[in-house]
Amino acid sequence: MLQGTFHPNQEIKSPFLTSKKVNLYIKRLDLIHPTAGGNKYFKLLYNLKEAEIRSHKTILTFGGAYSNHIYSTAAACQALGLRSIGIIRGEAGKQLSPTLEYAKECGMSLHYMDRETYRNKQQAEVVENLRRQFGSFYLIPEGGTNKLAIKGCMEILREEDHRMDYIGAAIGTGGTLTGLIASARASQTVLGISSLKGEFIHKEIACLLESHAIEPKAKYELFTDYHFGGYAKYKQELIEFMREFTDQNGIPLDPIYTGKLFYGIYDLIKKDYFHEHASILLIHSGGLQGIEGFNMRHQENLRSS
């Protein structure tokens, strides 16, 4: 079983936060495991345990060339002595991305799937073809979100975190936020900052809660105005915010998820969304492995540590 180490929540202090009379803390999930950290640690935790219970020796999953999930799954499988197979969206490039290079070094077998088939990857026919090709395996969906992933994400919040008024997290596939909503107390509000463009995320989260029979005690609110153009899109304003935050606090952020989360929460603080003396806990979900590839593609120099 994966072994992780929790670190104390880190308080952020600044004249801006003092002037707004709010208290801001960071839960550093990026530090919980050296290679399979962040929210992926919790998404993989019970999935890999279930694979062990079912005596599976091979894990198969899906992702793009810069996927945090592919990276963490490869690392976790290597640590546990499991065979891993990554089905990668699209065609093979001339050069492996830093993410896929690392996954390959961890022993993950990489196979490419055309985008049309990839869109139908959950269909029984596609999965059966993969079983004929690779034999028996335990399947983890793209992004890792399923019932066991949500169960794992319900363990992100610890007893001391229930004293917080607000819990903030980035939204991708929605599994992490669903777990947080399920485990937060009635006195708390969970805030989700979507990294994806569009209002569909409201329906996605509602469907996840309904399909997993979760009746949350906490309130939750989703924000869809901080995507900076959509998934994996960005604007220079975001990059400048991330650089300034990291320089001031020594905490690196990734441009896909945590950068947008922190930008969004700071903007809400600026707009007096929070009441005086509110305590806000932001979930640092990791994803720092993607910074090397981001810098390479966009000629940026974001820090990853």
Side-chain angles (χ1 to χ4, degrees):
M1 189 171 179
L2 283 177
Q3 297 296 323
T5 303
F6 274 92
H7 292 255
N9 295 335
Q10 185 170 340
E11 185 174 7
I12 303 299
K13 292 183 177 291
S14 74
F16 167 68
L17 295 172
T18 300
S19 70
K20 289 297 185 178
K21 298 180 181 179
V22 297
N23 303 297
L24 184 64
Y25 301 86
I26 313 299
K27 181 169 281 298
R28 298 288 304 273
L29 299 187
D30 57 310
L31 302 177
I32 198 166
H33 189 279
T35 52
N39 61 333
K40 303 303 180 187
Y41 172 88
F42 296 90
K43 286 186 169 186
L44 290 169
L45 190 64
Y46 288 107
N47 272 293
L48 294 176
K49 188 173 182 180
E50 182 68 15
E52 180 184 9
I53 291 171
R54 297 189 192 180
S55 299
H56 281 286
K57 301 298 182 184
T58 300
I59 306 297
L60 183 143
T61 195
F62 303 87
Y66 299 91
S67 165
N68 293 328
H69 175 65
I70 288 290
Y71 182 100
S72 295
T73 301
C77 286
Q78 182 186 48
L80 297 175
L82 297 170
R83 178 190 178 209
S84 62
I85 299 171
I87 305 301
I88 310 303
R89 180 180 62 249
E91 305 298 325
K94 294 180 180 179
Q95 181 181 355
L96 287 178
S97 69
T99 300
L100 296 185
E101 188 68 51
Y102 176 80
K104 187 177 179 181
E105 290 173 2
C106 287
M108 177 174 273
S109 178
L110 304 175
H111 300 268
Y112 296 85
M113 179 178 282
D114 68 87
R115 293 177 184 273
E116 183 177 352
T117 306
Y118 193 90
R119 282 192 290 270
N120 299 314
K121 61 187 176 296
Q122 296 180 4
Q123 292 186 3
E125 182 182 356
V126 175
V127 174
E128 185 56 37
N129 285 339
L130 290 172
R131 294 197 190 282
R132 282 196 290 268
Q133 183 177 355
F134 298 112
S136 177
F137 55 75
Y138 181 87
L139 189 148
I140 299 178
E142 181 179 31
T145 292
N146 59 11
K147 181 178 181 178
L148 292 174
I150 292 171
K151 177 183 177 181
C153 289
M154 289 176 66
E155 298 182 5
I156 290 175
L157 297 181
R158 311 189 86 190
E159 188 59 37
E160 61 268 25
D161 302 328
H162 293 301
R163 296 194 294 267
M164 299 292 172
D165 298 310
Y166 296 90
I167 310 293
I171 309 175
T173 57
T176 300
L177 192 79
T178 301
L180 293 170
I181 293 171
S183 59
R185 300 278 173 84
S187 59
Q188 297 181 299
T189 301
V190 179
L191 306 176
I193 305 293
S194 180
S195 295
L196 296 84
K197 187 176 183 178
E199 298 299 318
F200 68 92
I201 198 66
H202 293 273
K203 185 176 181 180
E204 290 286 319
I205 298 299
C207 287
L208 282 170
L209 291 169
E210 182 179 0
S211 62
H212 295 288
I214 295 171
E215 297 183 6
K217 298 175 183 175
K219 300 179 290 294
Y220 73 91
E221 188 170 356
L222 310 181
F223 296 87
T224 58
D225 297 329
Y226 301 109
H227 53 72
F228 288 90
Y231 182 72
K233 305 288 186 181
Y234 75 102
K235 294 180 181 178
Q236 203 58 36
E237 182 183 3
L238 174 65
I239 301 303
E240 290 171 4
F241 168 82
M242 292 169 58
R243 285 203 186 103
E244 183 178 356
F245 181 88
T246 301
D247 289 345
Q248 291 178 354
N249 302 290
I251 302 175
L253 305 175
D254 84 286
I256 310 301
Y257 297 107
T258 54
K260 295 177 181 182
L261 165 67
F262 281 55
Y263 182 98
I265 295 299
Y266 267 70
D267 190 57
L268 291 173
I269 294 172
K270 189 183 304 180
K271 293 175 178 176
D272 297 319
Y273 172 89
F274 302 97
H275 61 77
E276 282 192 6
H277 309 299
S279 55
I280 309 161
L281 179 66
L282 298 188
I283 307 300
H284 193 311
S285 54
L288 301 178
Q289 67 83 24
I291 290 178
E292 184 181 354
F294 179 86
N295 287 341
M296 184 184 301
R297 282 179 291 161
H298 302 291
Q299 287 76 55
E300 293 288 352
N301 60 347
L302 291 173
R303 288 167 51 188
S304 60
S305 60

